[in-house]
Amino acid sequence: MSNDGPLLIIISSPSGAGKTTLTTRLRERVANLRFSVSHTTRRARPSEQDGREYHFVSRETFERLIQLDEFLEYAEVHGNLYGTSRREVETAKDARGLIFDIDHQGARQIKSVYPEAVSVFILPPSMSVLEQRLRGRASEDEATVQRRFAAAKLEIGHYGQFDYLLVNDDLEDATVRLVSIFRAEECRRQRMARPAEGLLAEGRAPGRTP
Ligand code: ADP
Ligand code: 5GP
C-alpha cells in the first residue's frame, strides 16, 4: 500500500440506484477529484457528451484498443463493452482522488491491480424504488429499463466483494455518508505515513533539541 498518488475509489451499483448522482455530489464537495472517463460501445444519452461521461466508440475501435492492451480493465455489461483505459490512472497523478464508476467485474479487476483501491456499492432502498428510478430517468426505452431491472438482482448478488455498502435512501444523507467514507479513507495510517515520517525527520534535523 502506498500513500502516493490519488485515492482510488470505485463506485458500483445496479443501474438506477444513484451512483451518477452521488458521484457528482461527491465531486461538488471534495476538491480536486477526478472522474475516470471510461470507453463504451453504448450509444450516448441525450444529456451525455463525448469525453465527459464516456468516450463513445464503435465496437471495432473498442476491440482494437483491447488488442493494443490499452485497458486496465474491461467488461461486457448490458450487451455493451465498457472499459477503463490505463491513461485514466496515468494522467490523474496530481488528483486527490480518482473515481471509477464501473460494474462488479471491473471493480474486481481494479482491486486485483490496486488492492488499496476503496470500493463502495450503492444499494437502492427497495426494488420498487429502483424500478421507479430507472423509469424516472426517462432516457431509455421500456425494453432497456426491463433488462436493467432484471440485471439489478444479479448485480446486487455481488455486494460481498465491496468494502462499503451505502443505501441511497435520502439523497443528502447518502451524500454525507459517501463524503465521510472518502475522508475516513484519506486518514488511513498507510496514506498518512509520509506526513508522519516528515515530522520525525524534522525532529531529527540538526540544531533541533531532542
Ligand atoms: P445510476 O448512475 O446508478 O444508474 P442515477 O444517478 O442516474 O443512477 O439515478 C437514477 C435516477 O434516480 C435519476 O433520475 C436520479 O435523479 C434519481 N435519484 C438518485 N438518487 C436519488 C435519491 N436518493 N432519491 C431520489 N431520487 C434519486
Ligand atoms: P451506464 O450504461 O448506465 O452508464 O453503465 C452501465 C454499467 O456499466 C454500470 O454498472 C457502470 O458502472 C458500468 N461501467 C461503466 N464504465 C465501466 C468501465 O469502464 N468498466 C466496467 N467494467 N464497467 C463500467
Side-chain angles (χ1 to χ4, degrees), residues 13-21 133 137 168-169 171:
S13 78
S15 185
K19 65 188 169 311
T20 308
T21 308
R133 286 187 190 163
R137 197 160 55 183
N168 180 16
D169 37 25
L171 185 54

Side-chain angles (χ1 to χ4, degrees), residues 9-190:
I9 182 161
I10 299 165
I11 301 190
S12 292
S13 78
S15 185
K19 65 188 169 311
T20 308
T21 308
L22 285 169
T23 300
T24 305
R25 294 180 131 234
L26 175 66
R27 292 180 72 199
E28 285 164 2
R29 294 182 196 200
V30 180
N32 196 19
L33 289 189
R34 276 274 295 268
F35 177 71
S36 167
V37 180
S38 296
H39 284 67
T40 183
T41 59
R42 94 150 153 73
R43 285 228 301 265
R45 295 177 185 141
S47 62
E48 292 175 330
Q49 242 178 52
D50 188 31
R52 190 178 62 188
E53 284 83 5
Y54 285 105
H55 300 289
F56 295 97
V57 294
S58 65
R59 194 167 264 265
E60 296 71 52
T61 303
F62 199 104
E63 283 167 355
R64 190 164 43 79
L65 293 172
I66 295 174
Q67 296 305 319
L68 292 170
D69 195 29
E70 291 283 328
F71 292 116
L72 191 55
E73 65 76 30
Y74 66 90
E76 178 127 14
V77 190
H78 310 312
N80 289 297
L81 290 166
Y82 293 82
T84 306
S85 72
R86 297 183 188 282
R87 229 185 104 73
E88 291 301 315
V89 179
E90 286 161 11
T91 58
K93 296 252 184 304
D94 295 331
R96 177 171 172 184
L98 179 62
I99 305 171
F100 301 95
D101 169 345
I102 55 179
D103 82 327
H104 66 93
Q105 307 170 77
R108 199 181 290 280
Q109 294 178 68
I110 296 277
K111 274 273 201 182
S112 72
V113 183
Y114 299 106
E116 73 275 23
V118 178
S119 60
V120 181
F121 194 58
I122 315 268
L123 292 166
S126 68
M127 293 310 282
S128 57
V129 167
L130 179 67
E131 194 171 5
Q132 278 164 29
R133 286 187 190 163
L134 275 171
R135 279 187 212 294
R137 197 160 55 183
S139 55
E140 284 114 10
D141 57 28
E142 181 58 24
T144 305
V145 168
Q146 288 299 338
R147 195 168 60 237
R148 285 178 178 239
F149 185 63
K153 268 197 191 134
L154 298 175
E155 185 82 17
I156 293 170
H158 294 281
Y159 80 89
Q161 77 181 67
F162 291 86
D163 299 319
Y164 291 92
L165 300 180
L166 200 158
V167 177
N168 180 16
D169 37 25
D170 176 76
L171 185 54
E172 177 56 25
D173 194 66
T175 306
V176 169
R177 275 177 277 141
L178 184 57
V179 171
S180 305
I181 290 169
F182 186 87
R183 294 241 160 98
E185 286 291 334
E186 278 191 321
C187 298
R188 277 202 182 271
R189 171 173 46 78
Q190 291 87 343

